[in-house]
Amino acid sequence: MKISKTLISKEEIENKISEIAETINSKYKDEELVVIGILKGAFIVVSDLAKQLQIDVTFDFMSIKSYYGSESSGQIKIIKDLEYDISNKNILIVEDIYDTGLTLSSLKKLLESRNPKSIEIFSMFVKKGVSKDPIEIDYSGFEIGPEFVVGYGLDYNGKYRELPYLALLS
Ligand code: IMP
Ligand code: MG
């Protein structure tokens, strides 16, 4: 497998992050926010976003595994849990990509059970039309097609996360 094409450039990604950071800065200007990055894919988007936030914010990370078997679909296993108690906090879940939606919908239910004050979701990339478990995405960076993509945190067998752009493999 090789990188075949740049789908979204570094500049387009940078502009989008600035735009979303500005929206988040104005929405939470008088409120505390806990940003929750979903590892590993979201580490790059969280760090780029973080540098542009000018609000009262803390960061936490979670690592989860999703199961896609017919009986266990929608099940997630926590590999690394949050460090902070999120009860009565405003939280923003940051994900790299929203594909079938199973990961985010299960995660949202799980975090809701911990009684946060509010929950919002930011997914940097959203695969159009493939959602099986639709949930509301409050901030979405780019809508893309169903093809497998890498870069900007997304991997193929652990590789290509470091690319500053989004690319197609072939
Ligand atoms: P979902 O539960 O299907 O929405 O799963 C989303 C997860 O699948 C993401 O967090 C990624 O880890 C992975 N994923 C989905 N599509 C892609 C892709 O095109 N490239 C790399 N990883 C992907
Ligand atoms: Mg992931």
Side-chain angles (χ1 to χ4, degrees):
M1 297 290 255
K2 277 237 153 69
I3 299 294
S4 66
K5 186 177 168 226
T6 298
L7 208 58
I8 301 174
S9 70
K10 179 172 181 275
E11 290 70 28
E12 289 174 282
I13 288 175
E14 284 168 355
N15 291 339
K16 185 64 75 172
I17 291 280
S18 302
E19 204 182 285
I20 289 172
E22 210 175 295
T23 311
I24 293 170
N25 281 331
S26 64
K27 168 131 194 184
Y28 293 96
K29 70 176 165 14
D30 302 315
E31 298 256 5
E32 199 184 331
L33 179 67
V34 182
V35 169
I36 297 175
I38 307 307
L39 297 173
K40 298 174 186 162
F43 79 110
I44 291 185
V45 48
V46 169
S47 74
D48 282 353
L49 178 73
K51 288 175 276 183
Q52 302 209 37
L53 293 180
Q54 290 146 4
I55 50 173
D56 183 359
V57 62
T58 50
F59 297 89
D60 208 343
F61 292 91
M62 230 176 150
S63 177
I64 54 182
K65 267 211 161 23
S66 321
Y67 296 97
Y68 295 94
S70 54
E71 274 168 47
S72 57
S73 61
Q75 296 295 309
I76 51 174
K77 182 179 170 202
I78 299 176
I79 308 297
K80 181 215 168 291
D81 207 339
L82 297 174
E83 187 182 332
Y84 300 131
D85 177 4
I86 56 166
S87 64
N88 212 26
K89 303 279 188 194
N90 298 306
I91 67 173
L92 175 67
I93 301 172
V94 179
E95 224 333 10
D96 49 4
I97 193 164
Y98 174 82
D99 183 5
T100 64
L102 291 172
T103 306
L104 277 171
S105 71
S106 314
L107 182 66
K108 191 177 182 196
K109 277 182 210 132
L110 174 77
L111 295 182
E112 263 164 358
S113 73
R114 300 182 184 181
N115 303 311
K117 183 173 174 191
S118 66
I119 299 191
E120 286 199 310
I121 296 178
F122 168 25
S123 183
M124 189 60 196
F125 305 105
V126 174
K127 284 194 179 175
K128 230 176 155 179
V130 289
S131 178
K132 291 190 195 119
D133 200 346
I135 52 161
E136 195 185 328
I137 303 292
D138 303 279
Y139 311 96
S140 69
F142 297 93
E143 283 200 346
I144 60 172
E147 303 84 6
F148 193 83
V149 289
V150 294
Y152 204 68
L154 290 159
D155 72 306
Y156 172 69
N157 286 345
K159 304 286 184 188
Y160 306 114
R161 293 190 196 275
E162 72 285 3
L163 301 176
Y165 52 86
L166 190 75
L168 284 177
L169 278 187
S170 68

